[in-house]
């Protein structure tokens, strides 16, 4: 059978089918004696293809479905899940959750979200944009992407391939407080990675990707390929650096990670375990005074948008950092109770964290940097959220007088997150919107750089 006979169908079950199943699960939990319960049902389908050196390397059509239930016997909690939606499986799964709960120690903080915090109106955030993509068209688009990368320059010596992925999912959540809600969402992406080789034998790898809820919003395949090749080529001829303290400019893809470390430090789990360097810092300066950071859960078509969190709690826009001052944490109901606070609607994480951009474009940031390091790649996991200590392998470019001089590699950058956040000299206008954290480049006043 031809590959063109296998389109990714945009069809999913009607949401009412999942709503009925969630209601059945909750009714079964009540029948088995649970004092409270919550359940989530999901299903989805995906197509992914990878082309390497012009040939199809992988091709996957994936369909999935599952359900999970959590029951409470007063403050004793148990959970179970299955991929089987049959009535018999529902009964067995609920029974398994009840058995676990009966043998679990009571925890006064365990329980459903408070009823008054649940979403009463569920906005349509325009997250569902199916792509009726036949397999052959997916292969051709991935091939076009890789071909553009390989054709850009003779020094593109090899390829790790180009990959296209398209997925659609439907989720419904409900609990015994009467909440029942769900929505469909899509995510489409195209990526490419290639290897450049110089005449001297130096080899460097790099890539690029585009991702969106809407297939029409993806960057053209040829543009993704060319960008991947350009990024690999510019890394050729990398040098090491001696130990020094210099300003460091993180490009947006890496600046996002710094904001991610901050979010990790204000998550409820880290706080109630007293494992965060930002414990008891509400209302104090944690960033430079010009930094503004907001959570915007209701942005249309954004990758991090959600009308409610994993407990059915209504999400809402809010400041996380205002004028450098910490305004709020990321809490689910359990963490909030442990801390004597209220949930912030962040069961499952943050939703669209936006760092307010500055006025400088990337060339302007280089001029502001003067002499120092641009970080384009990071390696390793040398981050301690308890102490704020930060040390990672890095690669990028050395800058003199506001101009890039040469690539650098096999170096280490180190500092303390507390000092790095307070020492942000500038935020770029070059915002990268490819994810749940959207930010521009970050210029840090001073870090230690050393050859590895």
């Amino acid at each position: 059978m031809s590959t063109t006979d296998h389109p990714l169908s945009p069809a999913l079950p009607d949401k009412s089918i999942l709503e009925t199943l969630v209601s059945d699960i909750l009714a079964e939990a009540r029948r088995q004696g649970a004092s409270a319960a919550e359940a989530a049902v999901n299903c989805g389908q995906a197509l992914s293809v990878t082309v390497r050196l012009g040939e199809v390397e992988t091709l996957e059509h994936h369909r999935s479905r599952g359900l999970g239930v959590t029951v409470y016997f007063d403050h004793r909690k148990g959970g179970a899940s299955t991929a089987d939606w049959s009535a018999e499986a529902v009964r067995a799964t609920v029974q398994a959750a009840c058995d676990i709960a009966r043998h679990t120690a009571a925890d006064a903080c365990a329980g459903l979200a408070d009823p008054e915090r649940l979403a009463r109106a569920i906005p349509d955030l325009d997250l569902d944009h199916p792509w009726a993509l036949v397999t052959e068209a997916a292969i051709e688009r991935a091939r076009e992407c890789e071909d553009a990368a390989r054709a850009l320059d003779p020094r593109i010596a090899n390829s790790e391939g180009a990959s296209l992925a398209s997925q659609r999912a439907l989720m419904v959540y409900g609990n015994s407080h009467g909440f029942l809600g769900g929505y469909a969402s899509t995510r489409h992406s195209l990526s490419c990675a290639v290897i450049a080789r110089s005449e001297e034998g130096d080899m460097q790898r790099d890539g690029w990707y585009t991702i969106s809820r809407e297939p029409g919003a993806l960057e053209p395949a040829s543009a993704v390929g060319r960008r991947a090749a350009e990024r690999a080529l510019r890394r050729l001829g990398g040098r090491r650096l001696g130990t020094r303290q210099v300003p460091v400019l993180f490009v947006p893809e890496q600046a996002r990670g710094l904001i991610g470390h901050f979010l990790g430090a204000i998550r409820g789990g880290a706080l109630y375990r007293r494992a965060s360097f930002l414990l008891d810092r509400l209302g104090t300066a944690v960033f430079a005074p010009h930094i503004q950071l907001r959570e915007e859960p209701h942005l249309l078509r954004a990758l991090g948008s959600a009308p409610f969190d994993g407990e059915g709690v209504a999400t809402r826009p809010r400041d996380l950092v205002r004028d450098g001052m910490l305004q709020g944490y990321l809490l689910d109901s359990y963490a909030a109770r442990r801390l004597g606070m209220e949930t912030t609607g962040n069961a499952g994480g943050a939703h669209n964290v936006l760092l307010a951009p500055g006025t400088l474009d990337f060339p302007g940031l280089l001029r502001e940097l003067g002499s120092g390091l641009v970080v384009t790649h990071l390696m390793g996991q040398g981050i301690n959220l308890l102490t704020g200590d930060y040390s990672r392998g890095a690669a990028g470019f050395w800058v003199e007088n506001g101009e890039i001089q040469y690539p650098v590699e096999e170096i280490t950058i180190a500092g303390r997150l507390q000092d790095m956040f307070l020492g942000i000299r500038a935020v770029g206008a070059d915002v990268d919107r490819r994810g749940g954290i959207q930010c521009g480049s970050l210029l840090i006043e001073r870090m230690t750089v050393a050859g590895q």
Side-chain angles (χ1 to χ4, degrees):
M1 185 178 290
S2 167
T3 54
T4 56
D5 295 328
H6 294 277
L8 176 68
S9 169
L12 287 174
D14 190 89
K15 189 173 71 167
S16 63
I17 295 174
L18 276 68
E19 291 172 338
T20 298
L21 182 54
V22 169
S23 297
D24 290 345
I25 296 169
L26 298 175
E28 180 63 25
R30 287 193 300 270
R31 191 189 69 78
Q32 296 194 27
S35 57
E38 57 187 336
V41 177
N42 62 80
C43 61
Q45 53 191 354
L47 166 67
S48 63
V49 59
T50 297
V51 170
R52 181 173 180 272
L53 301 178
E55 301 294 330
V56 176
E57 189 167 72
T58 63
L59 174 62
E60 297 181 359
H61 292 266
H62 180 69
R63 293 180 182 271
S64 64
R65 66 180 190 175
L67 65 86
V69 58
T70 301
V71 300
Y72 300 90
F73 285 73
D74 295 324
H75 294 293
R76 291 175 294 152
K77 173 183 175 181
S81 62
T82 181
D84 189 343
W85 287 5
S86 69
E88 180 180 352
V90 166
R91 286 192 295 272
T93 304
V94 173
Q95 182 65 60
C98 291
D99 290 343
I100 292 170
R102 291 188 179 100
H103 292 87
T104 300
D107 185 337
C109 296
L112 301 177
D114 296 335
E116 62 272 16
R117 305 305 302 275
L118 299 176
R120 288 174 170 78
I122 300 176
D124 180 2
L125 302 180
D126 197 19
L127 306 179
D128 186 28
H129 293 269
W131 194 359
L133 183 69
V134 296
T135 305
E136 192 59 45
I139 293 171
E140 286 307 311
R141 186 168 295 214
R143 185 175 284 133
E144 177 188 357
C145 182
E146 188 192 42
D147 286 349
R150 296 174 65 198
L152 183 72
D153 190 287
R155 292 173 293 171
I156 300 299
N158 207 338
S159 171
E160 293 187 358
S163 299
L164 183 146
S166 177
Q167 61 186 43
R168 188 177 187 221
L170 173 63
M171 181 278 298
V172 170
Y173 167 86
N175 62 39
S176 52
H177 283 329
F179 179 85
L180 185 64
Y183 54 93
S185 62
T186 53
R187 184 176 294 241
H188 315 288
S189 64
L190 177 64
S191 63
C192 183
V194 293
I195 298 170
R197 182 171 59 202
S198 68
E199 292 182 358
E200 295 74 25
D202 178 29
M203 298 180 69
Q204 297 289 345
R205 173 201 178 277
D206 213 324
W208 191 246
Y209 72 96
T210 178
I211 185 169
S212 178
R213 299 279 189 190
E214 305 173 87
L218 296 175
E219 295 178 33
S222 57
V224 173
R226 287 194 299 269
R227 185 77 174 270
E230 290 166 355
R231 288 168 60 88
L233 290 165
R234 70 181 186 175
R235 297 186 66 188
L236 292 172
R239 310 180 195 177
R240 295 186 182 184
L241 294 174
T243 300
R244 61 194 73 183
Q245 287 196 332
V246 295
V248 175
L249 178 62
F250 290 79
V251 299
E253 308 95 272
Q254 305 305 335
R256 178 188 292 120
L258 293 181
I259 302 303
H261 301 323
F262 164 75
L263 299 179
I266 63 169
R267 291 187 193 277
L271 295 168
Y272 74 71
R273 294 185 181 95
R274 308 189 69 80
S276 168
F277 70 93
L278 292 178
L279 184 67
D280 299 326
R281 294 298 304 276
L282 280 178
T284 68
V286 296
F287 278 93
H290 58 91
I291 297 299
Q292 321 293 334
L293 196 65
R294 281 184 61 79
E295 183 181 19
E296 292 283 358
H298 299 163
L299 296 179
L300 298 182
R301 297 175 294 281
L303 291 169
S305 294
F308 55 85
D309 75 354
E311 299 177 316
V313 173
T315 54
R316 60 183 179 86
R318 63 185 179 120
D319 289 334
L320 295 175
V321 174
R322 185 189 309 130
D323 299 331
M325 310 282 282
L326 180 60
Q327 303 298 308
Y329 294 141
L330 300 175
L331 308 177
D332 60 14
S333 295
Y334 181 80
R337 290 167 186 146
R338 288 288 300 264
L339 294 166
M341 306 176 76
E342 293 188 348
T343 176
T344 57
N346 292 112
H351 309 285
N352 294 323
V353 174
L354 278 59
L355 178 63
T359 59
L360 296 176
D361 59 11
F362 192 72
L365 288 169
L366 291 178
R367 291 190 292 271
E368 180 69 20
L369 171 68
S371 296
L373 177 69
V374 174
V375 172
T376 59
H377 295 77
L378 290 167
M379 290 77 75
Q381 302 296 324
I383 301 100
N384 186 327
L385 290 185
L386 174 61
T387 63
D389 291 340
Y390 182 97
S391 178
R392 301 188 68 183
F397 298 91
W398 182 250
V399 176
E400 292 283 356
N401 300 317
E403 297 286 343
I404 290 177
Q405 301 299 310
Y406 50 83
V408 295
E409 60 183 359
E410 297 184 14
I411 59 173
T412 299
I413 58 173
R416 296 173 72 241
L417 288 170
Q418 301 95 312
D419 301 330
M420 293 163 64
F421 293 156
L422 290 169
I424 294 176
R425 189 195 304 176
V427 179
D430 52 342
V431 178
D432 184 351
R433 305 187 188 280
R434 299 173 300 168
I437 299 174
Q438 301 181 16
C439 66
S441 298
L442 286 177
L443 176 56
I444 309 297
E445 184 66 43
R446 188 163 297 276
M447 293 184 69
T448 299
V449 177
Q452 291 185 333

